Amino acid sequence: TVGGIILAYANLTPTASVRARGYADPSDTPGVDTALFDTGVVLACPASAGGGVNSYSYGGGTIGRVWLETQVSVKKVYVELVDTDNTEAIECGRFIVGGYFQPTKNADYGASAKPVDTSKKSRNGAGDLVVDRAPRYSTLSFSLSKMSDGDAASMWDILWGNGVTLPVFVSLKPNDASPANEQRHQLWGSLVTLPAMALPSFNITTASLEIEGI
């Protein structure tokens, strides 16, 4: 089942484009056989001009993505990626293809995206500030306080199946009108801890999650 195709932590430039097509049989040929879905050519990661190779340094990188409004079951996925403005070889930390869980109610207001810098600061004998530069990563913190029974069941399956060891891709603003906003609120990472799922009122379940980038 395909609902999204993600290129996590890539060095793609803002002009990179992607087109994805899905087919019913592994032997189907793009351009010859009929596709079950065809996204057309779309911008992969329309981020700010400072994205791409620059943000790839020290553990960063943009996230290329293409979303399907309706999830489709296929046997073959064909992806075309074009990035003519990239002066480097295209790199990608992870290529993710699969379905997605979308809750009925959005995440609560107050969701936060935070950059974390593992660099260490110290003072030398002359009193100068010295920084030992190290990698950076991001975290996403958000709450789902109005989950229905169906949403709660899906969330429980994700939490139980992934735990804190298996990664998950989270996007709080898929296809947002602001590309920079979308880039800032999506993450390929793992849960910091498994959250409790509370029942504050009848048929309503809440959970607060924190994801840290891999």
Side-chain angles (χ1 to χ4, degrees):
T1 302
V2 179
I5 297 169
I6 313 298
L7 296 98
Y9 308 135
N11 66 340
L12 300 173
T13 68
T15 61
S17 66
V18 61
R19 179 185 182 184
R21 285 172 277 183
Y23 295 90
D25 192 274
S27 63
D28 286 349
T29 302
V32 176
D33 296 297
T34 301
L36 296 179
F37 74 81
D38 186 345
T39 65
V41 178
V42 297
L43 290 175
C45 50
S48 61
V53 175
N54 290 339
S55 67
Y56 198 58
S57 305
Y58 304 103
T62 53
I63 294 178
R65 86 292 175 269
V66 56
W67 296 106
L68 278 64
E69 291 187 9
T70 302
Q71 304 189 69
V72 183
S73 294
V74 299
K75 294 274 184 80
K76 177 179 182 176
V77 176
Y78 185 81
V79 180
E80 295 174 86
L81 183 66
V82 178
D83 194 4
T84 55
D85 289 339
N86 197 334
T87 58
E88 307 291 333
I90 293 177
E91 296 184 35
C92 178
R94 188 71 64 188
F95 182 66
I96 308 159
V97 179
Y100 56 76
F101 161 64
Q102 183 174 7
T104 305
K105 301 291 186 180
N106 288 335
D108 300 350
Y109 288 114
S112 65
K114 177 184 177 182
V116 179
D117 194 333
T118 59
S119 301
K120 304 298 182 183
K121 290 184 177 182
S122 62
R123 296 279 178 180
N124 60 20
D128 297 325
L129 181 64
V130 178
V131 179
D132 183 12
R133 181 172 281 187
R136 303 168 193 148
Y137 65 94
S138 300
T139 64
L140 275 181
S141 300
F142 59 96
S143 296
L144 298 170
S145 67
K146 293 180 174 59
M147 285 189 289
S148 64
D149 285 345
D151 286 350
S154 297
M155 178 57 66
W156 180 266
D157 289 343
I158 293 172
L159 297 177
W160 187 260
N162 284 49
V164 297
T165 57
L166 297 180
V168 63
F169 180 75
V170 177
S171 179
L172 295 184
K173 292 179 172 288
N175 286 334
D176 192 83
S178 168
N181 208 10
E182 180 178 2
Q183 285 285 334
R184 191 165 58 251
H185 290 91
Q186 56 188 359
L187 188 64
W188 172 246
S190 62
L191 286 161
V192 176
T193 59
L194 291 181
M197 296 183 66
L199 295 167
S201 59
F202 181 70
N203 281 347
I204 296 296
T205 304
T206 69
S208 296
L209 301 95
E210 182 177 5
I211 312 290
E212 61 179 358
I214 295 177

